[in-house]
Amino acid sequence: MTLEENASFENAFFIAPESRENLSKVLFVHTSVNCLNNLLSEISDPNYGESKERQNKIESIILEMIEWIETDEEAALDGEDGKYDLSEPYSLKSNDEFARKKRNLQIKQKYMRELRVIECICDILYMPFVSAFEFEKINQEMAITSLTKLCYRLLASIVKDYRLNEMYTS
């Protein structure tokens, strides 16, 4: 195995330094996916939402994932002290701000795919159709509706302008 100075999306593996803040977010997402998978049976229950504390916890997990993927935190991906740029392996050394933001978003989207967030979110989105919910009786005030809206928002952020995730989701 050889280490190339300029890795790209075609490389199967490459090593890149990661900031502590970004690493903690990735670990949060990894833990959250396991937590959400364990709660799928509770989410599929038509009485989901009776426990406001549980509902708020589940929604806060998804909101935090949305916040992480939708915000462009330069320090989180460019290194705490600015000594390295994680986006360099993906680029042609462009200093364009738009290109940098797009690369940083693609890195986050790649993490979300590899941590199996897409599968988890799709499972939640299927709940009203395949579980004990009576689809005709679902309305805007129900807890499952607000949860599916958040899941759709997260899924849209994960696949936005990233062809690989679009194909993976379909």
Side-chain angles (χ1 to χ4, degrees), residues 46 48-49 55 59 133-134 137-147:
Y48 168 74
Q55 177 189 350
E59 290 181 1
F133 285 99
E134 293 183 39
K137 294 183 180 179
I138 294 177
N139 59 41
Q140 294 295 319
E141 290 78 34
M142 294 180 74
I144 192 69
T145 307
S146 64
L147 180 63

Side-chain angles (χ1 to χ4, degrees), residues 28-43:
F28 168 78
V29 170
H30 176 67
T31 305
S32 298
V33 168
N34 290 333
C35 178
L36 290 173
N37 280 329
N38 291 336
L39 293 171
L40 278 177
S41 61
E42 186 176 320
I43 294 170

Side-chain angles (χ1 to χ4, degrees), residues 23-91:
L23 182 60
S24 69
K25 290 292 186 181
V26 170
L27 292 173
F28 168 78
V29 170
H30 176 67
T31 305
S32 298
V33 168
N34 290 333
C35 178
L36 290 173
N37 280 329
N38 291 336
L39 293 171
L40 278 177
S41 61
E42 186 176 320
I43 294 170
S44 67
D45 185 5
N47 296 324
Y48 168 74
E50 287 182 357
S51 170
K52 292 294 182 191
E53 183 180 332
R54 276 288 233 217
Q55 177 189 350
N56 290 339
K57 184 65 176 169
I58 292 169
E59 290 181 1
S60 70
I61 289 170
I62 295 173
L63 277 170
E64 191 164 338
M65 285 194 264
I66 291 171
E67 180 183 320
W68 178 62
I69 199 164
E70 288 183 351
T71 56
D72 180 45
E73 299 169 354
E74 195 168 335
L77 290 175
D78 291 343
E80 294 154 342
D81 53 5
K83 289 182 181 175
Y84 54 84
D85 181 2
L86 282 184
S87 61
E88 279 185 17
Y90 297 101
S91 72

Side-chain angles (χ1 to χ4, degrees), residues 32-37 40 65 115-125 151:
S32 298
V33 168
N34 290 333
C35 178
L36 290 173
N37 280 329
L40 278 177
M65 285 194 264
L115 293 172
R116 303 205 176 272
V117 175
I118 293 173
E119 288 94 337
C120 179
I121 296 302
C122 286
D123 288 344
I124 294 173
L125 287 170
C151 289

